[in-house]
Amino acid sequence: MRRVMTSAIVLALVAAARPAAGQTPAPGQRTGPEPFGIADNSFLVEEAFNQEPGIFQNIVNITRLADKWGFAFTQEWPVRSQAHQFSYTISFLDGIDKFGAGDTLINYRYQALSEGPGRPAFSPRASLVLPTGNTTERRGEGSYGLQINLPFSKQFNDTYLHWNAGFTWLPAAERPDSTAGEDDDENLLSPFVSLSAIYRLRPMFHLMLEQVVLFGESLADVSGTTRDTAYTLSPGFRAGWNVGDKQIVGGFAVPVTWVDGSSDVGVFLYFSYELPFRK
């Protein structure tokens, strides 16, 4: 269970520190009576809006779950237009004895559909997983990998709905205490699905309810792999402030994760700020 909880922390950090988008959707993405003043600042469920041209964004997430701390930083950039976006995510996690670097993600996201009447926004993402985390400390699995996510977003008046489906694939995960070399590597595939509702209580203050189901595959204690289902329900809120041509967003959530009949209550802190890089 502890390894699955650790996987849930990593998923939370990756999802929340994903390649984020501009705070306000482009005109073609807007529906409803008013556009949201804060957009694509969810915590666990990815929103389907790429970053606006000329703006880069920085995101910091701090997670406490199963007595383990996690920290992630993401910086993302539009590539020539809003259709293409590049970002990277670095993470730091509590290990068995030490706090240190986790795995790193290099992300690309494509704005395949802009939101319109009867049509959600759709922005698929592909991420390369770099094995920068220490396997002995269980801060990583020691394998290059791939993460795919398919996020959709649609506004209904003062409510935004977001839904995701994807997976993380690690083809050569290393057992922490292995001495057998590559023959002991395991292929891990962990699908996930998620859904969230964001309610605009005030223009710059939103209530959030996010749900994530992770079908996590992890290394068994001796040999082979094991699969557990982790369900996370996370109520929270976010607030934003516009300062000139910059926007700051902060948020807080209380994720509750259930695995094999046991539960753990965590804390999630979010902070982001966007800056123009050209006039």
Side-chain angles (χ1 to χ4, degrees):
M1 175 180 170
R2 183 52 59 94
R3 289 188 66 87
V4 177
M5 284 293 191
T6 302
S7 297
I9 293 175
V10 173
L11 177 65
L13 290 170
V14 168
R18 70 209 178 280
Q23 309 299 338
T24 304
Q29 296 171 316
R30 295 174 178 171
T31 61
E34 297 180 23
F36 268 41
I38 308 171
D40 202 47
N41 294 95
S42 287
F43 304 158
L44 307 183
V45 181
E46 189 165 347
E47 299 184 34
F49 308 121
N50 268 2
Q51 182 66 46
E52 297 173 347
I55 301 292
F56 77 95
Q57 184 162 266
N58 303 276
I59 300 174
V60 173
N61 301 291
I62 300 174
T63 303
R64 172 80 172 175
L65 185 65
D67 298 324
K68 297 288 185 179
W69 286 99
F71 169 90
F73 173 77
T74 292
Q75 188 173 78
E76 48 80 16
W77 298 79
V79 181
R80 302 188 66 179
S81 71
Q82 195 165 359
H84 307 281
Q85 181 174 286
F86 166 83
S87 72
Y88 63 89
T89 300
I90 58 175
S91 63
F92 296 87
L93 305 169
D94 262 336
I96 296 176
D97 296 315
K98 298 178 182 179
F99 185 85
D103 289 344
T104 299
L105 271 72
I106 305 297
N107 312 295
Y108 168 75
R109 196 162 71 172
Y110 176 64
Q111 191 74 54
L113 288 177
S114 295
E115 187 177 353
R119 182 183 68 234
F122 175 49
S123 187
R125 166 173 62 85
S127 299
L128 174 65
V129 181
L130 305 180
T132 52
N134 185 295
T135 57
T136 302
E137 282 290 315
R138 295 193 174 179
R139 296 194 303 266
E141 303 290 358
S143 173
Y144 286 91
L146 176 68
Q147 184 177 86
I148 298 293
N149 193 25
L150 306 176
F152 295 84
S153 297
K154 187 75 174 107
Q155 183 180 349
F156 299 91
N157 296 316
D158 288 327
T159 301
Y160 242 119
L161 297 182
H162 310 282
W163 57 101
N164 297 178
F167 63 85
T168 302
W169 175 50
L170 302 172
E174 297 179 3
R175 204 168 301 280
D177 55 355
S178 172
T179 58
E182 293 184 1
D183 291 341
D184 201 41
D185 292 348
E186 298 285 356
N187 180 59
L188 303 180
L189 181 65
S190 298
F192 57 86
V193 293
S194 58
L195 173 69
S196 73
I198 313 297
Y199 178 71
R200 178 170 51 188
L201 188 64
R202 295 181 180 274
M204 300 294 281
F205 183 84
H206 303 166
L207 301 179
M208 309 172 65
L209 183 63
E210 300 178 287
Q211 302 176 76
V212 180
V213 182
L214 170 65
F215 305 96
E217 187 174 20
S218 59
L219 297 169
D221 290 338
V222 178
S223 64
T225 67
T226 183
R227 186 176 297 278
D228 295 279
T229 299
Y231 170 68
T232 299
L233 179 67
S234 180
F237 67 86
R238 66 187 184 191
W241 299 266
N242 292 319
V243 183
D245 56 357
K246 307 172 182 64
Q247 187 176 75
I248 298 171
V249 177
F252 175 82
V254 182
V256 183
T257 297
W258 288 268
V259 182
D260 288 338
S262 299
S263 63
D264 192 272
V265 180
V267 173
F268 190 95
L269 300 174
Y270 177 94
F271 175 79
S272 74
Y273 59 100
E274 64 171 9
L275 299 166
F277 62 87
R278 72 169 184 270
K279 297 293 185 180

